[in-house]
Amino acid sequence: MVTVQHIVKEELIKNPFLVDLLQQDLLNISALAEKLYPKVTRILGRNVKITAISMAIRRIAQQFYKKQMFKWEFPKNLEVSTKSNVYEIAIKKESQLSTLLFNIQKNLIKKAGIFLSVVDGNYETVFLSNQCNKKIIKKMLKNKEITSEQDNLGYLSVNFEPYTKDIPGIYYRITRAFAFNNISIQSFHTIGAEMIILFKKKDFMNAYETLTNLFN
């Protein structure tokens, strides 16, 4: 049997930002009840009191409070590393990756600050390097199926303590902050406890300010 509480719970699960606000005690429950009122009455096929919806929200909120992710605070000594002019190219999964990687590394420009990172997924292999290596890498991949390519990205890197990997919601809190500031993420990688996020050049400074503000 469908009840007011069942409908309210389904709506909150589908709208995680509402759950965020409930967890932080920033949401007016009566206002939320009025917002949910039309849908609740439509599904039930009858009128219900706003107070009944409010009570259902409060009961369900108690379940979410037990999973409070905002009580944990980011360490104050976190350092955000940055790098600009990053070139990213992805190809269809490469079976001969070791040979390909050896040839790319052999031909890269040799000077301080040059890097090459490779992420080998189930369906794609992604190469990250300095923008100055674009022509070299593309030449080495000329016979491969390129699935995506982006120029002049910037990345933010944070080296968390290993224990943070066991704390639910850390990455969500970070990506949530970017979403609120209308910043799109181009790539997201984790290497051990290190987090690396790539952004378009136009969003890079805003992303940096958003992340450092979140940590302070």
Side-chain angles (χ1 to χ4, degrees), residues 14-109:
K14 288 190 294 185
N15 293 275
F17 284 152
L18 294 178
V19 176
D20 283 354
L21 295 173
L22 280 172
Q23 288 180 322
Q24 298 179 81
D25 293 322
L26 297 176
L27 194 63
N28 185 306
I29 291 180
S30 296
L32 177 58
E34 291 182 5
K35 179 179 177 62
L36 296 178
Y37 177 81
K39 188 160 191 176
V40 172
T41 54
R42 178 173 58 81
I43 294 175
L44 290 177
R46 59 181 173 82
N47 289 328
V48 296
K49 293 182 178 180
I50 293 291
T51 53
I53 300 176
S54 296
M55 289 177 62
I57 294 171
R58 288 189 174 88
R59 290 193 193 100
I60 295 164
Q62 292 302 316
Q63 301 173 24
F64 291 127
Y65 290 149
K66 294 177 183 178
K67 300 178 181 180
Q68 177 66 269
M69 70 179 69
F70 292 97
K71 291 181 180 178
W72 182 81
E73 294 185 359
F74 289 103
K76 298 300 181 184
N77 60 343
L78 285 176
E79 180 179 341
V80 180
S81 301
T82 66
K83 194 168 189 65
S84 59
N85 297 321
V86 177
Y87 173 63
E88 180 187 72
I89 185 168
I91 61 173
K92 191 174 179 180
K93 179 73 175 181
E94 175 55 46
S95 59
Q96 302 296 322
L97 180 59
S98 58
T99 301
L100 179 61
L101 186 55
F102 174 79
N103 290 331
I104 291 176
Q105 289 176 320
K106 185 172 63 174
N107 287 278
L108 286 184
I109 296 172

Side-chain angles (χ1 to χ4, degrees), residues 60-206:
I60 295 164
Q62 292 302 316
Q63 301 173 24
F64 291 127
Y65 290 149
K66 294 177 183 178
K67 300 178 181 180
Q68 177 66 269
M69 70 179 69
F70 292 97
K71 291 181 180 178
W72 182 81
E73 294 185 359
F74 289 103
K76 298 300 181 184
N77 60 343
L78 285 176
E79 180 179 341
V80 180
S81 301
T82 66
K83 194 168 189 65
S84 59
N85 297 321
V86 177
Y87 173 63
E88 180 187 72
I89 185 168
I91 61 173
K92 191 174 179 180
K93 179 73 175 181
E94 175 55 46
S95 59
Q96 302 296 322
L97 180 59
S98 58
T99 301
L100 179 61
L101 186 55
F102 174 79
N103 290 331
I104 291 176
Q105 289 176 320
K106 185 172 63 174
N107 287 278
L108 286 184
I109 296 172
K110 305 294 192 297
K111 66 178 182 180
I114 293 297
F115 77 99
L116 175 67
S117 296
V118 181
V119 181
D120 191 30
N122 290 326
Y123 304 101
E124 293 182 323
T125 301
V126 181
F127 300 87
L128 298 168
S129 189
N130 309 75
Q131 189 67 35
C132 62
N133 282 315
K134 175 180 177 177
K135 290 183 178 179
I136 296 171
I137 295 174
K138 284 203 72 172
K139 182 179 180 180
M140 303 304 298
L141 300 177
K142 63 181 180 180
N143 296 321
K144 307 300 179 182
E145 183 179 339
I146 295 174
T147 55
S148 68
E149 181 181 20
Q150 297 196 77
D151 293 309
N152 294 310
L153 298 175
Y155 77 59
L156 303 178
S157 173
V158 181
N159 191 28
F160 289 110
E161 291 293 332
Y163 75 86
T164 58
K165 292 173 69 68
D166 295 322
I167 299 175
I170 291 178
Y171 296 143
Y172 170 68
R173 284 174 60 182
I174 293 170
T175 57
R176 170 182 175 272
F178 292 139
F180 275 137
N181 285 284
N182 199 34
I183 302 170
S184 61
I185 294 173
Q186 300 304 303
S187 293
F188 191 118
H189 306 284
T190 58
I191 305 170
E194 182 181 3
M195 176 193 74
I196 300 173
I197 311 179
L198 287 95
F199 306 90
K200 289 183 177 179
K201 185 176 181 179
K202 66 181 181 64
D203 294 322
F204 185 58
M205 288 308 300
N206 192 12

